[in-house]
Amino acid sequence: MDDAQLDQSLLFEVIENQLADRYPKETTEALMRLQLTGHSREEAIELMACALAPEMEAVIERKEAFNLSRYCQHLAMLPDTPWLE
């Protein structure tokens, strides 16, 4: 994404809402796992935003349906982000 790049604060807000709603459960699991492996909460949220960004881009820019399965797969791979390479 270039000029239309998603606002990082929007991604953080979505993740915080997912954590508050405990949906999807993989969001809470990813946060806990990342914190247990030495990442601060802030770092973990930033990493989780990397998993969310491609899904939000697909919804906003390409008018695709949100792919919950792919998003959860990306959360499970964190802190690795092979989809960004």
Side-chain angles (χ1 to χ4, degrees), residues 48-63:
M48 293 165 67
C50 292
L52 178 60
E55 297 311 317
M56 295 294 287
E57 177 184 10
V59 170
I60 294 168
E61 294 183 9
R62 297 190 305 271
K63 309 294 188 235

Side-chain angles (χ1 to χ4, degrees), residues 21-60:
D21 294 343
R22 298 178 196 258
Y23 182 82
K25 67 179 175 55
E26 289 84 356
T27 308
T28 302
E29 292 168 357
L31 177 62
M32 291 176 17
R33 179 174 40 80
L34 290 166
Q35 288 184 301
L36 286 172
T37 57
H39 297 276
S40 69
R41 188 176 198 284
E42 182 177 295
E43 291 169 336
I45 298 293
E46 288 174 4
L47 284 166
M48 293 165 67
C50 292
L52 178 60
E55 297 311 317
M56 295 294 287
E57 177 184 10
V59 170
I60 294 168

